[in-house]
Structures are given as C-alpha cells and as structure tokens.
Amino acid sequence: MDFPAGGGMEKGEKVLDILASHPNTAKFLCKKLVSFFTNDNPSEPLINRVVDTYESTNGEIKSLLTTLVELKEFWQEVKVRIKIKTPFEYVISSIRILETNVENPNNLYFKIKEMGQEMY
C-alpha cells in the first residue's frame, strides 16, 4: 500500500489501523496474552478462541481477558498453578520482593483471608 507524502499523524494512524486489523497481529497478540496468563506453550485451540474474540471486538482487551478466563481450558489444573498465585503465594512473594520485615504476622493472616484463602 502506498502512502503519499504529507499525511502526517493521519497517515501514522492509518498504518496502525492496518497493522491492528491484520490477522497475524491478532494471532501474535493473543498468543502473547494467553502465554502470559496460562503457560509458555498454550494450545492452538485456546489461542484461536481468543483470536476470534479479538477479531469480533477489534481487540478490546476486556473482552479478550473475559473470553480467556471463561474458557474451561484456562482453569485446567495443569495451567492454573503455573502462572496464577494463591493469595498466600502472592503475599509472601510481595514480602520477598519488597525486602520488608514483618512486624505483625497476624495482619498477613487476615489479609490472606480477605483475599479468599483460609490458612491451614
């Protein structure tokens, strides 16, 4: 496709529209998204379901994520514990990353409980 000189910002936006609507863009972005939330080698059917949503919603992120978490494949035991942390794991990894001292462990217990995980 040719673009005449002098198009300015409109030309750039046109190029972005062309790229965003290309089928390979949908496949690439959806594979990245699914990989981020499931595992490093997601199945093609899982990716393709999210691609279908990308194409029907023009790549609306909320719809893509909704489609992903509503798929039964997303919740399969093999995938769930690979990238999604339990509330306990989330809190502990946050403490480690922040290199903080825990003065009152009871606060952690109650925060983890608020996030939906009973301890012990």
Side-chain angles (χ1 to χ4, degrees):
M1 178 167 268
D2 291 331
F3 291 96
M9 192 163 135
E10 290 176 7
K11 186 190 317 184
E13 289 175 349
K14 178 79 171 161
V15 169
L16 291 175
D17 288 341
I18 291 168
L19 289 173
S21 64
H22 194 279
N24 289 343
T25 301
K27 184 81 167 185
F28 177 81
L29 292 176
C30 291
K31 183 175 182 181
K32 289 283 190 182
L33 183 72
V34 173
S35 295
F36 183 81
F37 285 105
T38 60
N39 64 59
D40 293 334
N41 296 306
S43 68
E44 285 297 315
L46 185 59
I47 295 168
N48 290 337
R49 294 279 302 274
V50 179
V51 167
D52 291 343
T53 300
Y54 182 98
E55 292 171 347
S56 67
T57 65
N58 294 319
E60 182 186 69
I61 298 295
K62 181 179 178 180
S63 297
L64 298 177
L65 292 173
T66 300
T67 296
L68 181 61
V69 299
E70 288 179 347
L71 295 172
K72 69 176 185 163
E73 295 94 332
F74 176 80
W75 294 104
Q76 287 177 339
E77 188 64 31
V78 172
K79 293 178 177 68
V80 169
R81 296 292 302 214
I82 292 175
K83 298 236 177 160
I84 298 176
K85 295 180 179 185
T86 65
F88 177 79
E89 292 167 332
Y90 179 76
V91 167
I92 297 305
S93 64
S94 297
I95 290 168
R96 288 179 178 160
I97 288 170
L98 296 171
E99 297 179 0
T100 187
N101 293 324
V102 177
E103 294 177 17
N104 185 353
N106 288 332
N107 289 339
L108 296 179
Y109 169 80
F110 290 113
K111 289 301 177 187
I112 292 168
K113 189 174 180 178
E114 282 179 30
M115 289 188 276
Q117 183 176 2
E118 290 288 335
M119 297 296 289
Y120 311 107

